Amino acid sequence: MSGIRRRHNDEEDEISTKRRKGAPLVTEVERKLQDIIGRVGDDKSKTSIESNLEGLCKVLQDDLDKYRTNIIDIITGCAIYLPQRATVYSTLVGLLNAKNFNFGGDVVERLIAEQQELLDNEKFGEAQNLAIFLCDLGNSRVLTIQSVGEYLESLVAAAFEDCVPQSRTDWFIFTVLRCLPWIGGELMEKANEQLENILEGIGKYLEQRNKQHVPILQVWSKQGSSNEQEDYLDSLFAQIETLKKLDWKEKHIPRHYVGFDVVLQDALQHNLPNFAPPIHSENSKYPYPQVVFRLFDYADCSEDGMVLPGNHSIERFLIEVEIAWIIEKNQTNRKNCAKELVAFAEENSTVPMGYLIFETIFGQMFRLPHSPLPQLFYGSLLLELCRIQATSYPQILVHSVELLYQAADFMQPECVDRLVDWFSFHLSNFQYRYSWNDWKDCLEKDSFCGSVAFAREVIEKCRRLGSYDKIIAAIPSEFVRIQPTTPEVRYMLDDETEQGYAKAQTFQQMFQERQPAEAFISELRASDPEEGYNIDDFEVFVTVMLKMAAKTYSHNFSALSKYQNTLKTVCDFAERFQERLLDTLYSCWKTNQQMMMILIDKLLKMQVLDCSQVISWLFDDKLKQEHDRQWTFEVLNQAMEKLSRHIVSVEKDYKELKERIEKQDRNGRDENNGGDVEMTVDDESKQKDLEELEAQKNKFDSLLEFQKSLYMEVLHKFIQELTNLIGDCESEAIDFSQNPRYRWLRGRFCQVFLMHSETLYKFTTALNEELFTNDVDANVLECYQQFLALRH
Amino acid sequence: MVFDPRTLDNPRDVSAYRDQRYQGSLRDQEIALRTSTTLYVGNLSYFTKEDQVYELFGRAGDVRRVIMGLDRFKKTPCGFCFVEYYTREDAELALQNITNTRLDDRLVRADWDAGFIEGRQYGRGKHGGQVRDEYRKDFDPERGGWNRMISGRAERQ
């Protein structure tokens, strides 16, 4: 064995020297600066932040000239990426500015340039962090309050721009509202007139604002419930107005500059220039509007005299934002994330912080159209939180699940899906132990109710993560109505009386003899060439193949690739073969939805099946009984998603090639100016490139056209289905809006808009003209209009 | 470029483990580990099945394939597997969030793998399973009980 092992040391040395040479030149000093500046807000246990800052200032003072750019770089990074430490760094800049006026000016200049750059790159969250930081520099006497007020006024003014989408102007207003908790107090004292202008402007803006987007973003569709999900700007404005009534005295922001008042009050100050809005173009993408998510109220968490800040108190918002910052900072490390969240909770012991942490996490998990971070991260973070706070957090988690279950009938199916994925993952880490009996009431409900879907699909996914036996042992026997059936392959052709019996024997024999794919093609060929292949024999062939490969996915995959040619030749002959293939898959594997999904996905990738065939099949009458199940729509949405991803990558290739050719063109022209160049070789390769470009463009265009018609088809199927349901209900004199099946399908319809919003926006013209005309039922059309409003 | 202070606490680098039997230079191995889309997954129960691995690891993204680790002699599962994704990001997400969570009630361990090659699916221990099953000290009913040295001795007696 030792012979195989290589001599480590020599090569390792070589690598490390190379790395040292090749790495970007980060000097020892720079690294040290990064470390001491980047961590000055940590470690509160040993010394106070104030004394840390004092120490840091002394250290930096000596280096301020020599390492000016580096220090400014690092401070800028901290201002962008550590917004939860904004007041620490604004104080630091304040102290440095007090000693060195020019340095302060350089920092401000750099921050403004950086904000412009972030906006140009559509990094709106980071740009917002900088706006808050700039305002806070007013508090630490780096900037005049007057100029900060003017800066905010110019942001408000930008929101009244004409002919731009609301999502753009919303961002300006959102930014101002977020800055006000930091600087409102100072503005009131020193620039009250501007403050009044700002508030008046915001009020005016909000009055005329379109709020059609709100329902499609709400996790729950029920109006008037205790967890009302207000529009985010309305909610924040109400919180700001409450704060104003309290003379801008909030209880959450740690204002470190107060301790340095003596040093800071005499500092020379700079003027912050007005905000320059980024250029708007047709392709600009702005953040989606949001709605506020609330899971708990006072009554849920009144323990040990801790009080949950009310819905319209600014603390509720500030705490949620800070939790979100901690999560964002640690998104690649769930352990650090949980640790920092728990530390944050301990620092704020008068507030039931555990509840707010859970509320924020669930709020992000269910955020529509997309959650800010991957679902899996929230799952592993919640596990970690329960692990390190084992005495209290698991109870909050159970409490949350109870509330979510109770509200599940009104939850959007997209959110039910996310809830199911998370909770099944969670339970599989706790041996599927849960007070399942709490869910008994759903057993009597219609199978299209959200609570039934939640319970049933959690059980199904636990089955997949664990095993059939384990989950059956864990759930009460009453759950028989919704419990999964054994996920085995169904195979009837062993029975001599079955029609396909003889043919099945033949195919079995052929498989055992390892006959090639072509042999099966001949065997399947119909006597009538018009017919192509015998469709019943094809079904038997697929059934036998699936049965023989039933043991594992690997067996299935190798069978599919071995007989790809057979499957593809037959399926290419006529669409009815694809339909029969899908029917056969379903009849063999209907109790194993995971297998169904994986096989359909594989067959799509192998191009044996077409997306459009799969979609027609999913909406066919015979599949309607499965529309209450998650898997049918998972197949649908995944097929659409994968097509989109493929097109995005084709587009990228095309654009890269185009850029390369254009660049060569430019270079060529430059060279030509310089003198004579051999043209022949260049021309030839250029010709080739152009042909390639043409081919790629055609490919891209035809894919886009295909995608458009496919998406239209999906939406059309939904429109038909929903219209029919409305008709059915009306003929039976039932209120369709209360019909569980209608509600569920309507939710699935919205899910398609939300999940594929980016793609669908490309096709709005066609959608307006060809699909969502005034002939469509107003109740169905409403979903589309709400979707459009997201980008208004 | 602006400095990102978040990297101070959460450095993004591969773990210190290196496969000693990697065929190729150390340099190649370093590059492979930093660009790979494959994870090694260990500490599985011998009874954990491929479809469970698909379900769990599929939560992080589209899985290209799963290769179950097998006992070299018996060709039965021996407690590890490779999971290959289509993209590095998906693999990274799985690594960050599935490592040290439970599958079949066992804390699974995941790490970067330089990429599957035929033969890697077999255990490298003397008895055909994984090397760690030769030496481990505890009784682990889901991984064949006592370690292979002890259970081998018992069988001979």
Side-chain angles (χ1 to χ4, degrees), chain A residues 424-588:
Chain A
S424 57
F425 172 70
H426 189 83
L427 284 180
S428 95
N429 278 272
F430 290 95
Q431 299 161 326
Y432 312 107
R433 275 177 310 193
Y434 184 70
S435 46
W436 295 100
N437 280 319
D438 295 354
W439 290 1
K440 259 188 205 159
D441 64 318
C442 82
L443 298 174
E444 304 307 319
K445 289 190 189 168
D446 187 290
S447 77
F448 280 90
C449 286
S451 55
V452 189
F454 176 29
R456 185 183 51 217
E457 303 296 336
V458 162
I459 293 172
E460 162 65 21
K461 292 223 158 152
C462 286
R463 202 269 307 150
R464 295 189 206 170
L465 286 166
S467 70
Y468 178 74
D469 294 337
K470 274 186 195 160
I471 189 64
I472 294 297
I475 56 174
S477 54
E478 290 96 318
F479 281 61
V480 66
R481 230 194 88 193
I482 58 165
Q483 86 186 24
T485 26
T486 49
E488 310 297 335
V489 66
R490 310 273 135 163
Y491 184 75
M492 309 300 216
L493 297 174
D494 279 340
D495 184 345
E496 282 179 40
T497 60
E498 282 286 326
Q499 215 178 17
Y501 176 77
K503 206 74 204 175
Q505 294 296 311
T506 315
F507 285 128
Q508 241 171 43
Q509 177 88 28
M510 288 174 73
F511 281 122
Q512 273 154 7
E513 289 164 3
R514 294 172 185 275
Q515 297 226 22
E518 291 67 30
F520 287 91
I521 299 179
S522 343
E523 186 66 30
L524 288 168
R525 199 160 284 140
S527 43
D528 177 4
E530 293 268 300
E531 214 179 302
Y533 301 91
N534 184 320
I535 198 159
D536 294 324
D537 288 355
F538 180 60
E539 177 174 336
V540 174
F541 160 73
V542 175
T543 309
V544 174
M545 183 185 74
L546 291 175
K547 162 78 169 125
M548 296 184 86
K551 202 172 162 209
T552 66
Y553 289 152
S554 297
H555 286 86
N556 271 289
F557 295 159
S558 71
L560 290 186
S561 70
K562 212 182 256 168
Y563 304 107
Q564 178 174 13
N565 197 11
T566 319
L567 293 164
K568 191 159 168 50
T569 311
V570 176
C571 283
D572 281 351
F573 187 81
E575 282 174 356
R576 62 176 189 278
F577 290 103
Q578 289 195 39
E579 192 190 345
R580 186 60 76 90
L581 175 57
L582 286 161
D583 287 343
T584 315
L585 286 183
Y586 183 58
S587 93
C588 289

Side-chain angles (χ1 to χ4, degrees), chain A residues 568-740:
Chain A
K568 191 159 168 50
T569 311
V570 176
C571 283
D572 281 351
F573 187 81
E575 282 174 356
R576 62 176 189 278
F577 290 103
Q578 289 195 39
E579 192 190 345
R580 186 60 76 90
L581 175 57
L582 286 161
D583 287 343
T584 315
L585 286 183
Y586 183 58
S587 93
C588 289
W589 284 116
K590 70 172 83 167
T591 62
N592 189 336
Q593 297 152 0
Q594 188 190 8
M595 186 65 98
M596 282 301 292
M597 289 176 47
I598 290 213
L599 290 177
I600 293 176
D601 180 54
K602 244 330 179 248
L603 289 165
L604 279 169
K605 280 183 185 139
M606 293 165 78
Q607 296 181 335
V608 171
L609 290 174
D610 294 336
C611 268
S612 56
Q613 280 301 307
V614 174
I615 286 161
S616 320
W617 182 75
L618 287 170
F619 280 96
D620 198 280
D621 274 341
K622 59 191 168 225
L623 251 279
K624 292 224 167 113
Q625 51 177 357
E626 293 276 347
H627 280 186
D628 55 344
R629 302 306 305 258
Q630 215 177 10
W631 75 273
T632 40
F633 294 98
E634 223 171 315
V635 169
L636 175 77
N637 287 308
Q638 271 188 19
M640 294 168 79
E641 171 70 27
K642 280 176 188 169
L643 178 68
S644 300
R645 252 185 273 160
H646 175 60
I647 292 176
V648 167
S649 84
V650 171
E651 186 182 12
K652 196 172 143 245
D653 289 347
Y654 164 66
K655 284 194 169 149
E656 274 172 9
L657 183 67
K658 198 174 153 198
E659 238 164 66
R660 207 188 70 205
I661 292 174
E662 280 168 0
K663 203 172 154 194
Q664 276 169 356
D665 263 5
R666 273 197 303 276
N667 290 348
R669 242 174 285 137
D670 292 348
E671 273 174 32
N672 274 347
N673 294 341
D676 54 341
V677 189
E678 276 182 61
M679 293 298 289
T680 45
V681 183
D682 268 13
D683 277 355
E684 214 169 274
S685 75
K686 199 182 156 188
Q687 191 56 37
K688 231 182 219 166
D689 275 352
L690 286 175
E691 274 165 24
E692 165 85 20
L693 187 71
E694 183 68 23
Q696 281 209 19
K697 184 166 172 13
N698 288 340
K699 184 179 169 194
F700 173 59
D701 287 345
S702 71
L703 270 171
L704 210 59
E705 198 49 42
F706 172 69
Q707 184 186 36
K708 188 174 98 184
S709 64
L710 188 82
Y711 274 52
M712 304 261 279
E713 202 180 318
V714 171
L715 295 173
H716 180 65
K717 297 269 187 206
F718 269 110
I719 297 173
Q720 272 183 325
E721 182 76 18
L722 288 168
T723 317
N724 289 342
L725 281 171
I726 293 176
D728 291 351
C729 285
E730 276 171 351
S731 66
E732 287 172 51
I734 314 172
D735 177 5
F736 66 87
S737 69
Q738 296 305 313
N739 177 276

Side-chain angles (χ1 to χ4, degrees), chain A residues 6 11 39 77 329-330 334 336 380 421 424 429 431 464-466 470 552-554 557 594 642, chain B residues 2-3 6 8-10 12 24 26 50-52 54-55 59 62 86 96-97 99 102 104-105:
Chain A
R6 287 145 305 134
E11 282 190 50
R39 289 188 196 281
K329 179 197 161 206
N330 294 293
R334 65 185 206 258
N336 281 350
S380 71
D421 279 356
S424 57
N429 278 272
Q431 299 161 326
R464 295 189 206 170
L465 286 166
K470 274 186 195 160
T552 66
Y553 289 152
S554 297
F557 295 159
Q594 188 190 8
K642 280 176 188 169
Chain B
V2 176
F3 163 66
R6 295 174 298 186
L8 287 175
D9 290 333
N10 304 315
R12 294 185 120 180
L26 260 176
E50 193 187 17
D51 46 357
Q52 292 170 270
Y54 266 98
E55 177 65 29
R59 302 288 179 100
D62 210 3
Y86 285 90
Q96 286 157 1
N97 295 300
T99 309
R102 285 169 193 275
D104 272 336
D105 215 26

